[in-house]
Amino acid sequence: MTTDVLISEVGPRDGLQSVKATMPTAHKLAWIDGLHAAGLREIEVGSFVPARLLPQMADVAEVVRHALTRPGLTVMALVPNVRGAEAALASGVHKLTLPVSASEAHSLANVRKTRAQMVDEVRAVVALRRASAPKVRVEAGLSTAFGCTLQGPVPEDDVVRLAVALAEAGADEIGLSDTTGMANPAQVRRLFRRVRAEIGERTGAAHLHNTRGLGLANCLAAHDAGVRTFDSSQGGLGGCPYAPGASGNVVTEDLVFMFEAMGVRTGVDLDRLMAAREALRAGLPGEPLYGMTPEAGLTRGFTYADGRVPAAMKGTA
């Protein structure tokens, strides 16, 4: 299916690492299957970190093996360093993403490295990829790009300089993340345009949070600035354990509805996406799930951007 934007589902990693409960592996696999059946074609399925630090990710290699059997799916995993990248590449992932904080305070809290050290880490991962798995893409996610609860405001010039340094280190994509939910639409539009002016098509995904209710507005601002890949999490699951108060990823269901209602093709089927939500609920019973679209339902007369009618609405007046 032809799409205008790519919705990159990060719930199985970003979402699950932020809740106390550990989803059983069988439920993770069923959830990923449901997301794939809904039309999502890039899923961050886990992170390669020590199980003692994130027990929720202890089964990541098994999850990757299963996800690789889903046709047309780009299987992505987060890695904080070369050691994690070695394990991820051995598992067969299609894409690595490394967290590089624009805030020095957050960088030290999150990965115990300075920003300069993380640029060196990205360079080393790129070299490893080049030698062992040249088709794998390397993404650097610039976290706390719009502000930090530990440091406070993050100068835009710092973000732009860091994006350039990561491009020079060989990262294929450099995305911007509103890790702490502090961004506003004007800021998002301005910063993405500044970064794109410096690194061009290497400008990657918008990873935006709904902490203060501006998630969708910020996604629209990023789209206005030329962004075409958007991270989101089903049910709004997730946040950042090393950024106090950083709750609330953008809800995948709401993001898909917004774009499709605007005439922007996502390739995602909302009926099947709601079915995947039930798989998530079964795997994390009692965990709060968010989203306005799942609660309110589709609008009367809603059609997808390509003219399709949702299955649930066929035959209705």
Side-chain angles (χ1 to χ4, degrees), residues 68-269:
L68 289 171
T69 67
R70 303 298 91 186
L73 178 64
T74 296
V75 180
M76 180 168 63
L78 180 140
V79 299
N81 49 38
V82 172
R83 180 177 296 182
E86 289 172 341
L89 291 173
S91 76
V93 298
H94 302 129
K95 187 174 179 180
L96 305 175
T97 181
L98 287 91
V100 182
S101 183
S103 155
E104 193 82 341
H106 182 262
S107 186
L108 292 169
N110 191 37
V111 293
R112 299 182 181 179
K113 288 184 173 68
T114 66
R115 293 175 296 184
Q117 288 172 324
M118 280 307 297
V119 173
D120 290 339
E121 203 72 33
V122 170
R123 187 177 293 107
V125 169
V126 169
L128 174 68
R129 178 277 306 269
R130 189 180 298 118
S132 60
K135 292 185 178 181
V136 173
R137 293 185 65 79
V138 175
E139 174 191 56
L142 259 173
S143 53
T144 63
F146 301 94
C148 175
T149 51
L150 299 174
Q151 172 182 306
V154 175
E156 290 186 5
D157 287 349
D158 286 2
V159 178
V160 175
R161 278 194 296 267
L162 194 51
V164 171
L166 290 166
E168 292 173 346
D172 299 302
E173 303 171 31
I174 297 97
L176 302 183
S177 301
D178 182 24
T179 314
T180 57
M182 296 169 71
N184 64 73
Q187 181 187 21
V188 169
R189 189 178 293 109
R190 182 175 62 246
L191 189 51
F192 266 108
R193 283 175 175 167
R194 287 193 62 187
V195 169
R196 181 174 291 276
E198 294 292 333
I199 66 172
E201 294 306 310
R202 292 198 186 201
T203 306
H207 181 107
L208 302 166
H209 283 199
N210 199 44
T211 312
R212 291 169 177 83
L214 294 178
L216 289 182
N218 287 336
C219 285
L220 186 56
H223 186 266
D224 290 345
V227 176
R228 292 298 179 265
T229 300
F230 297 85
D231 292 354
S232 62
S233 178
Q234 183 155 52
L237 204 65
C240 177
Y242 299 104
S247 60
N249 278 300
V250 168
V251 177
T252 302
E253 298 92 320
D254 292 342
L255 184 64
V256 169
F257 174 79
M258 181 188 77
F259 277 134
E260 291 288 346
M262 289 171 54
V264 177
R265 296 169 295 182
T266 67
V268 179
D269 183 287

Side-chain angles (χ1 to χ4, degrees), residues 1 260 267-270 302-310 314:
M1 182 180 295
E260 291 288 346
V268 179
D269 183 287
L270 282 163
F302 173 85
T303 58
Y304 289 100
D306 62 3
R308 288 177 299 122
V309 177
K314 287 181 179 177

